[in-house]
Each structure stands twice: as structure tokens, then as C-alpha cells.
């Protein structure tokens, strides 16, 4: 059974810092892994999807890496801004298109 | 391209009453998911459909929850009777199929979510 852990659970940083959010999963037999952002009271917005054959994926100031064999993914946020404040969730996809979520990292970027 | 549509956005009911949530996935997406998200937690998968068939409902409390996707397009999630602990956001998501040997540049298996339906049980 897939279990997903995200560290840290919460993070508060001043604007401009570079950040690293961690995601670990117990079953390495995944097809891909997706990172999401969730604003309070909203649904989840897809940020990046990494296929199992990829090591990295980039979108603007975001970079996600995947080490499938060790069951880890990292989301790197460069030059953080107050607008980045949200909860960040990772979800690896296992067989039968099943996505399992971690509990998320709550990020607050202070102006 | 229209996103995943859900309704209602908010619902307040008393315990032991019933409630239904509706979801219309992105056009052409064969896989539809219902997740329950309790405040401060990550989404928990309740049920997964592939077209109109159930793939996984192992975490659906079947004594009170039911879901259907009769024509393989939109879906309804029902709770009857509701309990206080059912207060949560119910999220619907959809994705295209992604067979092991069918990956194309436009079919990544990406998961898309609706805005969610927030349920408060008093």
C-alpha cells in the first residue's frame, strides 16, 4: 500500500528565499508523480508532472526532481514570493491510474 | 478547454440528512475520481471510475456513501445518512487513460481537479 510523506509540514520564510519541499513514497513502482498547489478554500492546481522515466521537470521558478528508486521527489521554488503562499501536495501514480496524496506542506512567504 | 465542473460549491445539512454532489469531468477523460479532504489533511481517495466501471472503492464507507457514473461521463456522489465526521471538501478529478505502451506527447495521465464541494454537517 502506497504511503506518502511530505516534509516539512509547514514552512514560513521571508520573500526571496529559495525553498526545497520534500516528498517521499513507499512504493517505488510508480508511473509518474504530480505536484499540486492548493489555495485556501480552493481545489488543487497542477504545477508539474514528472514521468517515471524523467529525472527533472521545470516550469518557471519551479523545478521538480524524481528519484524513483529511493522513493523521493523534491520541489524547488526559486526566489519565493508572497503569491507562492499555499499548500503544496505531491501525488505519485501507481498501477490502475491511482493517485495517492501526502498531507502537504503549508508554505507562507512573508513580504 | 473546460475544466472539471462540480456542484454545489457549498452545502450545510444536519446529521442523518442526505446530500448529493455532482461532477462533470473534462471531455474525453475516461478516469474519474472522488476524493474526500478533511481540514488540514491531504485528499483521500474514495472511489475511482474507469468509464462507467468501478476500479477502486476500497475506502468508500459503503454503508452510507454511494457513487455512480452511469453513462461514463458525469458522476454523482451521495451520502445518506450524513454524520458529523463527513464534514469535508469533496473533490472530483479526472484524467485520460495512460496505458503502459500508449504514451504520447499529448497524453501524460495528468490529473485535473474541480473546485470542490464543501460539506458542513451540523
Amino acid at each position: 500500500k502506497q504511503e506518502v510523506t511530505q516534509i516539512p509540514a509547514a514552512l514560513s520564510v521571508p520573500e526571496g528565499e529559495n525553498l526545497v519541499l520534500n516528498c517521499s513514497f513507499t512504493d517505488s513502482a510508480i508511473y509518474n508523480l504530480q505536484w499540486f498547489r492548493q489555495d485556501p478554500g480552493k481545489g488543487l492546481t497542477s504545477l508539474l508532472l514528472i514521468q517515471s522515466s524523467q529525472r527533472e521537470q521545470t516550469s518557471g521558478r519551479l523545478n521538480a526532481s524524481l528519484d524513483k528508486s529511493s522513493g523521493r521527489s523534491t520541489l524547488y521554488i526559486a526566489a519565493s514570493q508572497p503569491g507562492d503562499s499555499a499548500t503544496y501536495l505531491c501525488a505519485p501514480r501507481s498501477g490502475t491510474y491511482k493517485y495517492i496524496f501526502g498531507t502537504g506542506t503549508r508554505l507562507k512567504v512573508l513580504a | 478547454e473546460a475544466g472539471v465542473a462540480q456542484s454545489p460549491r457549498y452545502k450545510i445539512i444536519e446529521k442523518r440528512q442526505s446530500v448529493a454532489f455532482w461532477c462533470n469531468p473534462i471531455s474525453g477523460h475516461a478516469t474519474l475520481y472522488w476524493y474526500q479532504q478533511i481540514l488540514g489533511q491531504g485528499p483521500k481517495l474514495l472511489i475511482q471510475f474507469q468509464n462507467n466501471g468501478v476500479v477502486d472503492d476500497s475506502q468508500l464507507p459503503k454503508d452510507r456513501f454511494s457513487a455512480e457514473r452511469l453513462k461514463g461521463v458525469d458522476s454523482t456522489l451521495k451520502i445518506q445518512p450524513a454524520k458529523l465526521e463527513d464534514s469535508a471538501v469533496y473533490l472530483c478529478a479526472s484524467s485520460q487513460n495512460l496505458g503502459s505502451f500508449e504514451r504520447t506527447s499529448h497524453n501524460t495521465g495528468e490529473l485535473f481537479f474541480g473546485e470542490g464541494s464543501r460539506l458542513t454537517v451540523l
Side-chain angles (χ1 to χ4, degrees):
Chain A
K1 180 186 170 184
Q2 180 74 279
E3 292 182 5
V4 182
T5 303
Q6 291 190 245
I7 295 171
L11 189 59
S12 184
V13 299
E15 182 177 6
E17 281 206 4
N18 299 324
L19 307 172
V20 176
L21 309 182
N22 296 293
C23 169
S24 60
F25 45 94
T26 55
D27 183 356
S28 61
I30 64 170
Y31 286 102
N32 62 39
L33 184 144
Q34 209 165 338
W35 281 92
F36 295 87
R37 168 189 173 133
Q38 187 174 32
D39 293 289
K42 301 285 189 181
L44 280 69
T45 301
S46 178
L47 295 173
L48 288 164
L49 180 146
I50 314 178
Q51 299 291 355
S52 60
S53 58
Q54 296 177 312
R55 301 274 306 177
E56 253 182 40
Q57 192 68 260
T58 298
S59 176
R61 294 182 294 107
L62 304 179
N63 175 278
S65 65
L66 175 64
D67 184 344
K68 196 176 121 171
S69 60
S70 65
R72 290 183 204 163
S73 179
T74 298
L75 180 67
Y76 178 81
I77 304 175
S80 58
Q81 303 171 357
D84 295 330
S85 298
T87 297
Y88 291 81
L89 296 137
C90 69
R93 182 173 82 81
S94 302
T96 63
Y97 316 108
K98 189 172 178 177
Y99 286 86
I100 300 298
F101 283 82
T103 51
T105 294
R106 291 187 310 281
L107 172 65
K108 188 167 185 178
V109 181
L110 305 170
Chain B
E1 176 182 88
V4 177
Q6 288 190 248
S7 67
R9 287 294 314 279
Y10 305 94
K11 189 76 176 177
I12 301 174
I13 61 173
E14 296 194 348
K15 60 183 179 183
R16 291 188 288 274
Q17 287 187 324
S18 63
V19 63
F21 303 111
W22 174 83
C23 172
N24 193 1
I26 292 173
S27 178
H29 281 195
T31 311
L32 185 148
Y33 310 78
W34 283 103
Y35 285 86
Q36 179 193 58
Q37 187 176 27
I38 293 171
L39 189 64
Q41 299 182 15
K44 180 182 97 172
L45 180 66
L46 291 176
I47 188 166
Q48 177 186 344
F49 292 95
Q50 185 79 5
N51 297 307
N52 59 352
V54 175
V55 175
D56 188 331
D57 63 357
S58 57
Q59 297 202 81
L60 187 73
K62 297 180 187 62
D63 57 335
R64 298 183 301 105
F65 286 64
S66 65
E68 59 184 16
R69 193 185 183 198
L70 292 175
K71 297 182 180 178
V73 180
D74 56 351
S75 175
T76 303
L77 176 71
K78 295 180 182 176
I79 307 174
Q80 181 180 9
K83 292 186 175 181
L84 297 178
E85 60 260 36
D86 298 331
S87 293
V89 177
Y90 292 86
L91 296 162
C92 180
S94 70
S95 71
Q96 285 184 301
N97 281 344
L98 185 63
S100 300
F101 305 103
E102 296 170 11
R103 290 177 191 167
T104 65
S105 60
H106 62 272
N107 183 4
T108 62
E110 190 173 0
L111 192 63
F112 294 90
F113 278 85
E115 287 290 320
S117 295
R118 180 178 297 275
L119 173 66
T120 302
V121 183
L122 303 176

